[in-house]
Amino acid sequence: ELELLPTGHPGRAAYLHSLACALSSRFERSHSPVDLERSIELYDEALELFPPGHTERPKCQYNLAFALRERFDRSHSLDDLVRSIQLYNEALELFPPDDTGRYTCLHNFAHALIRRFDRSHSPDDLERGITLYTEALATLPTAHPRRFSYLFSLSLALKSRYELSRFLGDLQQCIPLLTEGLEICPVS
């Protein structure tokens, strides 16, 4: 119970973060906006309590960024997307290069930038998104079970850039990415 861990308790931040993660997981199954809203509140509170340099801080920032992007996908509130992008950027700077969460952060950060590009048509968001997708794919283990989705995301971003610039090289990069993705995509 949160009441048993009052403000100032050394374990409160970790407990809040764990509870927020559980609510986020339940939201993924139930799609209950109440779970999403409560998880965002708890991530926010946990983030306030994790001091700079704490090993859990980038994970909390990442999780809050992801939850805010989820809320943006439902509410279309640009404020949520902007804050999500800011948090992804901060988390990415804190993730060690060898942390397995880094490539996921790169991918979801890129996805948030591409979502903003879809609304604003800012070429800077598209370029940064492509750069982050490329880095995520380069650091992703070859046998990763979600590799096909990383390939697909990068190919879609390259196709968007092709549609703006008509640079054939972007379209030509899409073909091997999509071919590899198709070859490794699970059947179910």
Side-chain angles (χ1 to χ4, degrees):
E1 291 288 328
L2 287 175
E3 294 80 32
L4 300 176
L5 293 172
T7 303
H9 188 282
R12 186 172 174 86
Y15 189 91
L16 291 167
H17 186 228
S18 293
L19 180 55
C21 287
L23 287 166
S24 289
S25 292
R26 188 167 74 180
F27 167 75
E28 288 175 17
R29 294 196 180 271
S30 70
H31 303 287
S32 166
V34 173
D35 286 342
L36 181 60
E37 290 304 319
R38 184 68 176 136
S39 71
I40 289 170
E41 291 169 12
L42 294 171
Y43 284 134
D44 257 331
E45 189 178 343
L47 190 56
E48 289 292 319
L49 296 175
F50 282 128
H54 192 284
T55 57
E56 290 299 305
R57 188 172 177 82
K59 292 175 190 161
C60 188
Q61 286 174 307
Y62 167 81
N63 288 330
L64 176 55
F66 189 85
L68 288 166
R69 200 193 78 220
E70 286 285 323
R71 188 167 72 182
F72 164 78
D73 287 342
R74 284 145 185 77
S75 71
H76 305 289
S77 168
L78 196 54
D79 290 342
D80 283 339
L81 186 59
V82 168
R83 182 150 182 244
S84 174
I85 289 168
Q86 173 198 351
L87 287 163
Y88 278 131
N89 192 50
E90 291 170 8
L92 189 58
E93 290 176 12
L94 297 175
F95 269 116
D98 60 339
D99 191 299
T100 57
R102 185 172 173 79
Y103 54 77
T104 306
C105 186
L106 285 161
H107 184 262
N108 285 308
F109 184 9
H111 184 72
L113 287 166
I114 298 302
R115 296 287 287 135
R116 188 167 70 180
F117 165 76
D118 290 341
R119 290 199 48 181
S120 70
H121 304 290
S122 167
D124 291 342
D125 284 341
L126 180 60
E127 290 302 320
R128 181 96 194 270
I130 290 171
T131 299
L132 293 172
Y133 275 143
T134 302
E135 186 179 345
L137 192 57
T139 59
L140 186 73
T142 310
H144 192 280
R146 302 266 318 144
R147 183 174 177 81
F148 70 94
S149 67
Y150 284 58
L151 292 160
F152 184 68
S153 295
L154 176 56
S155 68
L156 286 179
L158 288 166
K159 186 174 178 292
S160 292
R161 188 168 68 183
Y162 166 76
E163 289 170 357
L164 286 178
S165 69
R166 295 296 182 206
F167 176 64
L168 193 56
D170 287 332
L171 202 54
Q172 289 173 327
Q173 278 184 281
C174 290
I175 295 168
L177 293 171
L178 290 169
T179 301
E180 181 186 346
L182 190 59
E183 289 170 355
I184 64 173
C185 185
V187 175
S188 57

